[in-house]
Amino acid sequence: MLLLLHILNFVGINYALSGERSKENTSFPIATNGQMFPWNKLRLPGWVLPVHYDLLIHPNLTSLIFMGSVKIEITAVYETSTIVLHSKHLEITSAAIEEESGKTQTDLKQIQVLEYPPHEQIAFLSPEPLLVDKKYFLSINYIANLSDGFYGFYKSTYKTKDGQTRLLASTHFEPTSARMAFPCFDEPSFKANYTIKIRREEQHIALSNMPKVKTLKLDNNLFEDHFAESVKMSTYLVAFIVSDFQSISGTTSSGVKVSIYVTPEKLKQAHYALEAAIKILEFYEQYFGIYYPLPKQDLVAVPDFQSGAMENWGLTTYRETSLLYDPETSSASDKLWVTMVIGHELAHQWFGNLVTMEWWNDIWLNEGFARYMEFISVDATYPELQVNDYLLGTCFAAMGRDSMNSSRPISSKAENPTQIKEMFDTVSYDKGACILHMLRNFLTEEVFQNGIINYLKKYSYQNAKNKDLWNSLANTCSEEDFTSGKCCYSKGQVAKNAHSYYVSAHFDIAEIMNTWTLQKGIPLIIVNQNKKKIKVRQERFLKGIFPHEPQWASMQIGFLWHVPLTYITSHSETIGRHLLKNHSDTLELDREFAWVKFNVDMNGYYIVHYEGNGWDNIIKLLNENHTLFSHKDRVNLIHNVFQLVSAGRLLLDTALDLTRYLRHESSNIVLLEGLGYLKMFYHMMERRNISDVTENLKRYILKHFKLVIGRQTWSDEGSVSDRMLRSDLLSLACDLQYPPCMQKANELFSQWMRSGGTLNLPTDVLKTVYSVGAQTIAGWNYLLKQYSLSMSGAEKNKILYALSTNRHAEKLKKLIELGMEGEIIKTQDLAALLHAIARNPEGQELAWNFVRENWNKLLQKFELASFSIRTIISGTTSHFSSKDKLEEVKHFFRSLEDQGSQLKITEVVLETITKNIRWLKRNLNSLKTWLLNNL
């Protein structure tokens, strides 16, 4: 978004001080009772501010109804008789206002309530105007149903080992669902303190953001838990849970109590999360130089949870597979995932909770930072996980979206709840993380760290915008720091030990970074080398739209980035650096060089194209001695060359020629990247039933990677990287029906079945073994039975994926039916299930047709624009590559009108299908010929 809006924009100034409307605002909506509603905007007016919420919640887990009362301390910025706040699906039973006079409160005055559901707003009309700077207390009683979905205050269930169903109630408020649990000023800049009380039955416990301070015993076997007053925070971070969970606890070196809460029978799966949470929380306190401000941090595994996790302050909530680690069924990649998610949510305790974006257009300030801090924190606390290698994949995901015209700027306009939900995407998370990584590499680690500490300290318990971050990073040191030679940066001054390009020119961080956050897309750096000179120019990189086409030129207009280039040459002793601020520039080196490689270790967010014979030279170098380049540089080269094929800059033959050296590759991450493209082409051909190319690709992969496949053991030995390569390679080999793989997998599956599911197989090969076993009717039926009995979310994920690979339509239909019922297969897993079935050549039509025929039913389970709906849309359509399918998808989404046609994801999938069609048209014959020549 180019113009950042203040939440306290005081649009209410259009009202006279008495609260009457000005003549400029004559169009006001009608409330549910037929009266005129006194506010006509989606954003709340800024004339009344909350100071403190006193909230009482009483859920009934039998009737699934909850009663609530809230007393909100408010102050008026302008004299007004109208208080507008949020409420959704709450039945207000009474409302009153009282004012504080001296130390006493005057009598309660009943006030009129107006509701306007389209904006999820209610208005309270006070009999007397609220005066500026006086304390008032708004008291509201209400009743509501526990939500059926995954937002607001919702019900969740789990099954015990003996088949009993247990109920609990949990919250998920981000971004706009606190209003489903209590009437509130539900926007991030209306921060306040909270005192929460929860009523429950004796067999349950209650949790909230703060520690419990006391419990009162009431009549009817009821107890009322009182929690300490919270720090000042936004509504979306409030949380409470009523359940029968059990916990294990530990304490950090600074005295913070950390607890993991889970269903009783899964307590043994909580130990790794406790260890990781303590280590990472301690790391963040040291890294940010700010102690975690709450006395406790609870991490709760919620049985029904739509996303991965949620950072509620002091009470982070997780999908079970994002928190629990079972040594008997969790693989190396499961362990990495759990660690990264914990790192993400704990980073939010500073980025997002302590300092919150002012409005949702800058959600990347929360999510991009938390995504990036995952890598920094886990690298520091668990170096054996080698997480920095996986940052490359995060950036590839961002680039995939950003190289399409349907992308968006990191900071984008978002006003209504649907638009706000759509902001939680790969652009905010992954691109946000990658541009922060580029900035850290540009500024140096020390300057970057000092800058974000400066940012966090300056804006603690407040809200911030893009420019506040840039200002903090641009002023990281005092005069004393500068003169002492410390590595820091201040406008107009540069420390002597900072990167060399600092000295060559003073730069404006905001000016640089605005080119990355306020415009969409990704730059293509085109390199032309000639003796000692390197000519570089930048263009906007676009996949599926080629330079010779008429629309290409218009899509380049207005795009310019300030790109921190890094490069090495055949004679480099240090990394070369240059800030490219124009469309083109020339770098003159002090000696001639044989080759140049830009974007060293892929620390920058850009694609590189080497013109002339640049790519031929690189291919030759890789074949002669691939270790001339670091393993990250090799991954970067493989990624770039295939992206350039999609953009019409290179022939597919060139990209495939580059991969031929991979038979000599020893780096696991590089092997996975190269094989990933070959695997993608194989599945594309298989789905289109282009059988000759499918068969030749299979033969090529098995011929050229036979040795590395043969080296894989069916065990859990080796480093995390070794184990993840093993999982991927054996899965691919069995997918390609490689006889030794199929034989071993069938043998292990038979042993497992004979043991009644009690045999502990190596966790890294479970998914492969289950997938091979699922191809027979007996094996599929047995796996489904074990799925229903398993107490491990990690194992259930592997079984469900395996079940989705069966090639019989009736089996796949059965899975979808179970997912819709939500008993055996939980509703939370339906989106991933449909995605998996759509990847199956026998399931692609089935999944897509199901979505079309059941769209309204899906919207009853998942909110429009939710993560699940977007996964369902992209997962069931993005693999299509024919004009017929393109028209079918277009027609379906056009027919939806307000029920999905306006979603950004529909634009993305239509462009993706178009790109797939063009890729096939341009490259299919090349692929056929190249395979024939290389077999």
Side-chain angles (χ1 to χ4, degrees):
M1 185 185 199
L2 298 179
L3 293 173
L4 302 180
L5 301 176
H6 291 266
I7 180 59
L8 299 183
N9 52 16
F10 301 135
V11 185
I13 211 158
N14 289 332
Y15 281 60
L17 291 183
S18 65
E20 294 177 6
R21 296 183 312 280
S22 77
K23 291 178 182 177
E24 293 175 23
N25 287 320
T26 55
S27 176
F28 281 77
I30 301 301
T32 51
N33 67 351
Q35 283 183 235
M36 187 167 62
F37 192 79
W39 186 243
N40 63 354
K41 293 178 173 59
L42 279 164
R43 302 272 289 274
L44 295 180
W47 56 59
V48 174
L49 303 179
V51 176
H52 182 271
Y53 291 79
D54 204 331
L55 178 63
L56 170 65
I57 295 285
H58 178 196
N60 185 317
L61 296 184
T62 304
S63 66
L64 302 180
I65 289 171
F66 70 95
M67 293 165 54
S69 66
V70 63
K71 180 184 279 193
I72 312 173
E73 181 187 333
I74 55 175
T75 60
V77 178
Y78 299 109
E79 186 177 314
T80 180
S81 299
T82 307
I83 307 162
V84 182
L85 58 159
H86 288 108
S87 174
K88 182 179 179 182
H89 304 325
L90 304 178
E91 182 187 335
I92 309 297
T93 54
S94 67
I97 194 163
E98 55 190 323
E99 66 177 274
E100 187 175 69
S101 179
K103 290 294 179 185
T104 61
Q105 287 165 225
T106 60
D107 293 338
L108 281 170
K109 294 170 184 167
Q110 296 301 309
I111 52 178
Q112 186 183 2
V113 185
L114 299 177
E115 297 186 50
Y116 185 58
H119 286 181
E120 301 174 358
Q121 291 173 354
I122 52 176
F124 298 98
L125 307 182
S126 174
E128 295 173 8
L130 277 61
L131 303 178
V132 176
D133 291 336
K134 285 196 74 170
K135 279 187 183 178
Y136 293 90
F137 297 87
L138 179 62
S139 296
I140 309 163
N141 294 312
Y142 60 97
I143 189 168
N145 292 316
L146 286 171
S147 170
D148 266 336
F150 301 91
Y151 286 104
F153 192 25
Y154 68 94
K155 69 171 184 181
S156 174
T157 63
Y158 72 92
K159 280 202 167 94
T160 62
K161 264 186 178 171
D162 58 8
Q164 286 182 29
T165 297
R166 300 264 176 91
L167 277 87
L168 61 134
S170 182
T171 58
H172 187 104
F173 293 160
E174 189 181 37
T176 60
S177 294
R179 63 194 68 171
M180 295 172 70
F182 59 103
C184 56
F185 297 81
D186 200 12
E187 294 178 4
S189 67
F190 286 101
K191 289 192 170 188
N193 302 92
Y194 294 80
T195 303
I196 293 174
K197 304 181 187 76
I198 300 175
R199 287 183 183 163
R200 58 169 176 84
E201 294 182 316
E202 187 173 15
Q203 70 269 30
H204 293 132
I205 61 165
L207 301 171
S208 189
N209 305 83
M210 300 298 289
K212 185 171 67 174
V213 290
K214 67 177 177 180
T215 299
L216 303 180
K217 191 173 189 316
L218 309 177
D219 295 334
N220 302 320
N221 194 35
L222 283 180
F223 292 80
E224 186 175 283
D225 292 330
H226 292 215
F227 297 89
E229 182 178 351
S230 78
V231 294
K232 193 176 177 184
M233 62 185 183
S234 303
T235 48
Y236 76 88
L237 295 170
V238 176
F240 34 87
I241 296 171
V242 175
S243 70
D244 66 348
F245 287 179
Q246 293 179 3
S247 66
I248 56 170
S249 301
T251 307
T252 68
S253 55
S254 62
V256 178
K257 183 180 179 183
V258 178
S259 303
I260 314 294
Y261 283 87
V262 296
T263 60
E265 289 167 330
K266 295 180 181 176
L267 202 57
K268 68 175 185 179
Q269 299 177 41
H271 292 280
Y272 177 70
L274 180 63
E275 173 205 301
I278 290 173
K279 285 175 78 168
I280 292 171
L281 200 61
E282 289 175 341
F283 167 79
Y284 282 142
E285 288 189 323
Q286 176 269 322
Y287 187 87
F288 297 136
I290 300 171
Y291 283 117
Y292 174 74
L294 274 56
K296 63 94 174 176
Q297 168 64 235
D298 297 336
L299 298 85
V300 186
V302 181
D304 296 278
F305 203 88
Q306 184 171 207
S307 55
M310 176 60 208
E311 67 267 20
N312 318 299
W313 216 345
L315 183 63
T316 52
T317 48
Y318 299 75
R319 185 181 277 235
E320 288 186 331
T321 49
S322 298
L323 188 66
L324 304 184
Y325 175 78
D326 179 5
E328 293 179 0
T329 56
S330 297
S331 64
S333 59
D334 292 328
K335 189 173 198 174
L336 177 64
W337 171 250
V338 166
T339 317
M340 295 292 270
V341 176
I342 292 171
H344 183 100
E345 301 313 321
L346 294 184
H348 271 310
Q349 308 301 297
W350 285 265
F351 282 99
N353 299 11
L354 187 64
V355 180
T356 311
M357 78 277 135
E358 190 171 278
W359 183 247
W360 300 106
N361 60 301
D362 277 334
I363 187 59
W364 86 275
L365 288 174
N366 286 16
E367 299 301 349
F369 257 110
R371 174 59 50 90
Y372 188 43
M373 290 309 300
E374 293 174 31
F375 293 95
I376 292 177
S377 64
V378 176
D379 183 50
T381 53
Y382 291 92
E384 69 275 12
L385 294 179
Q386 297 175 284
V387 293
N388 282 330
D389 284 351
Y390 303 102
L391 179 61
L392 302 178
T394 296
C395 298
F396 295 156
M399 290 172 173
R401 170 75 181 273
D402 223 14
S403 57
M404 299 170 72
N405 197 44
S406 53
S407 189
R408 64 167 182 84
I410 283 180
S411 185
S412 300
K413 183 178 179 181
E415 290 297 309
N416 64 48
T418 296
Q419 292 168 343
I420 291 167
K421 285 190 188 78
E422 286 198 293
M423 293 294 288
F424 291 79
D425 66 357
T426 194
V427 175
S428 292
Y429 286 72
D430 298 340
K431 183 179 180 180
C434 295
I435 66 164
L436 288 171
H437 179 66
M438 178 170 66
L439 182 60
R440 181 181 178 221
N441 186 256
F442 178 66
L443 293 176
T444 73
E445 156 60 24
E446 194 174 346
V447 172
F448 178 82
Q449 185 178 354
N450 288 342
I452 61 175
I453 290 170
N454 187 23
Y455 168 77
L456 289 170
K457 287 184 175 176
K458 184 173 182 179
Y459 296 101
S460 287
Y461 304 104
Q462 298 177 62
N463 297 80
K465 303 183 290 294
N466 254 353
K467 69 178 184 182
D468 298 322
L469 175 63
W470 309 142
N471 288 340
S472 297
L473 285 162
N475 294 282
T476 68
C477 58
S478 64
E479 185 67 30
E480 181 187 344
D481 290 330
F482 181 75
T483 54
S484 69
K486 285 186 180 177
C487 187
C488 56
Y489 178 74
S490 169
K491 283 187 180 178
Q493 293 182 318
V494 182
K496 60 191 177 186
N497 59 339
H499 283 323
S500 59
Y501 49 69
Y502 281 17
V503 181
S504 63
H506 296 310
F507 56 81
D508 184 331
I509 290 179
E511 183 185 19
I512 293 168
M513 296 310 295
N514 283 343
T515 71
W516 297 95
T517 59
L518 302 184
Q519 67 179 343
K520 67 180 179 180
I522 178 173
L524 171 66
I525 304 300
I526 300 166
V527 177
N528 205 313
Q529 67 182 85
N530 181 20
K531 296 183 178 176
K532 291 196 293 183
K533 289 185 178 178
I534 306 173
K535 290 184 179 179
V536 291
R537 68 181 195 273
Q538 63 165 296
E539 295 173 357
R540 179 187 174 198
F541 180 72
L542 287 165
K543 283 200 294 195
I545 300 161
F546 304 149
H548 64 269
E549 294 174 327
Q551 70 267 41
W552 187 85
S554 65
M555 290 179 172
Q556 296 291 326
I557 296 170
F559 285 89
L560 179 70
W561 289 265
H562 291 188
V563 189
L565 298 176
T566 57
Y567 58 92
I568 51 171
T569 70
S570 51
H571 298 303
S572 289
E573 293 177 6
T574 58
I575 295 171
R577 300 176 183 276
H578 179 75
L579 183 63
L580 178 64
K581 299 171 73 171
N582 301 309
H583 285 288
S584 61
D585 213 339
T586 300
L587 312 181
E588 186 140 4
L589 276 59
D590 56 4
R591 60 195 290 194
E592 288 189 24
F593 53 92
W595 55 264
V596 63
K597 159 70 173 72
F598 273 78
N599 201 0
V600 179
D601 283 340
M602 214 189 107
N603 288 323
Y605 187 76
Y606 53 91
I607 304 284
V608 185
H609 177 38
Y610 303 93
E611 281 191 327
N613 60 356
W615 280 106
D616 292 335
N617 287 342
I618 286 168
I619 290 167
K620 186 168 179 285
L621 285 166
L622 287 170
N623 282 317
E624 290 172 355
N625 179 12
H626 62 272
T627 60
L628 282 171
F629 303 109
S630 72
H631 74 282
K632 288 184 182 178
D633 276 335
R634 301 198 296 273
V635 173
N636 179 223
L637 288 168
I638 292 168
H639 175 261
N640 275 8
V641 76
F642 282 104
Q643 299 308 302
L644 291 164
V645 172
S646 292
R649 298 281 184 166
L650 285 178
L651 296 173
L652 180 60
D653 300 45
T654 304
L656 292 168
D657 284 346
L658 185 142
T659 66
R660 284 193 298 192
Y661 95 91
L662 283 171
R663 71 193 78 176
H664 308 299
E665 181 58 73
S666 57
S667 166
N668 296 338
I669 197 80
V670 184
L671 274 169
L672 286 173
E673 181 66 14
L675 265 169
Y677 284 99
L678 298 174
K679 184 163 71 170
M680 181 176 70
F681 299 154
Y682 173 80
H683 287 306
M684 184 190 291
M685 299 301 131
E686 188 185 33
R687 278 194 293 264
R688 286 298 302 272
N689 198 25
I690 305 172
S691 53
D692 58 331
V693 185
T694 305
E695 189 57 34
N696 284 340
L697 262 167
K698 181 201 285 192
R699 287 173 57 208
Y700 177 82
I701 293 168
L702 291 176
K703 176 183 174 185
H704 289 279
F705 296 95
K706 187 175 183 178
L707 285 177
V708 69
I709 291 170
R711 286 199 299 268
Q712 304 309 310
T713 60
W714 294 72
S715 70
D716 286 337
E717 297 166 353
S719 67
V720 169
S721 173
D722 291 338
R723 294 175 62 184
M724 291 174 75
L725 177 73
R726 174 184 304 132
S727 290
D728 237 56
L729 275 181
L730 292 179
S731 176
L732 175 62
C734 281
D735 205 16
L736 298 176
Q737 304 290 303
Y738 183 48
C741 185
M742 296 294 289
Q743 183 182 338
K744 183 66 175 177
N746 273 315
E747 180 187 313
L748 289 173
F749 187 77
S750 296
Q751 290 172 11
W752 179 71
M753 269 184 71
R754 284 198 300 272
S755 76
T758 59
L759 177 68
N760 287 334
L761 297 175
T763 59
D764 295 325
V765 300
L766 276 182
K767 193 168 159 185
T768 299
V769 171
Y770 291 161
S771 296
V772 170
Q775 302 315 306
T776 67
I777 292 174
W780 194 92
N781 289 335
Y782 188 74
L783 278 165
L784 184 60
K785 179 188 168 191
Q786 290 302 114
Y787 179 88
S788 67
L789 297 174
S790 176
M791 298 302 288
S792 162
E795 182 179 42
K796 287 172 93 79
N797 267 2
K798 295 175 182 65
I799 294 176
L800 191 58
Y801 173 81
L803 292 169
S804 77
T805 64
N806 186 281
R807 297 300 176 100
H808 291 93
E810 69 274 10
K811 296 293 186 192
L812 302 178
K813 281 180 188 171
K814 173 74 171 172
L815 287 180
I816 295 175
E817 285 169 12
L818 292 173
M820 285 296 280
E821 286 168 10
E823 287 295 318
I824 294 173
I825 299 175
K826 280 188 168 284
T827 304
Q828 66 175 7
D829 296 317
L830 180 59
L833 174 64
L834 286 168
H835 189 179
I837 289 173
R839 291 174 53 152
N840 181 336
E842 301 305 318
Q844 53 184 343
E845 281 292 312
L846 182 69
W848 168 233
N849 288 337
F850 173 81
V851 170
R852 287 194 294 167
E853 292 160 13
N854 294 274
W855 181 251
N856 290 328
K857 289 180 183 175
L858 289 169
L859 288 184
Q860 289 167 12
K861 293 180 179 293
F862 309 107
E863 291 194 357
L864 190 66
S866 64
F867 173 76
S868 293
I869 285 293
R870 286 180 281 140
T871 299
I872 287 167
I873 291 172
S874 62
T876 57
T877 61
S878 293
H879 59 278
F880 288 143
S881 56
S882 71
K883 287 182 179 177
D884 287 348
K885 283 294 168 201
L886 176 63
E887 288 308 311
E888 205 175 89
V889 175
K890 265 185 192 172
H891 175 75
F892 174 68
F893 286 115
R894 278 181 190 148
S895 72
L896 295 179
E897 297 179 355
D898 291 340
Q899 292 300 304
S901 62
Q902 80 277 29
L903 290 180
K904 187 73 177 172
I905 192 67
T906 62
E907 191 184 335
V908 174
V909 298
L910 290 172
E911 188 177 355
T912 301
I913 298 168
T914 303
K915 173 182 67 70
N916 295 345
I917 294 167
R918 293 168 67 91
W919 193 96
L920 265 179
K921 183 179 178 183
R922 179 180 165 88
N923 296 301
L924 180 57
N925 287 332
S926 297
L927 181 59
K928 281 183 180 180
T929 305
W930 189 89
L931 285 168
L932 289 172
N933 292 337
N934 284 273
L935 275 172

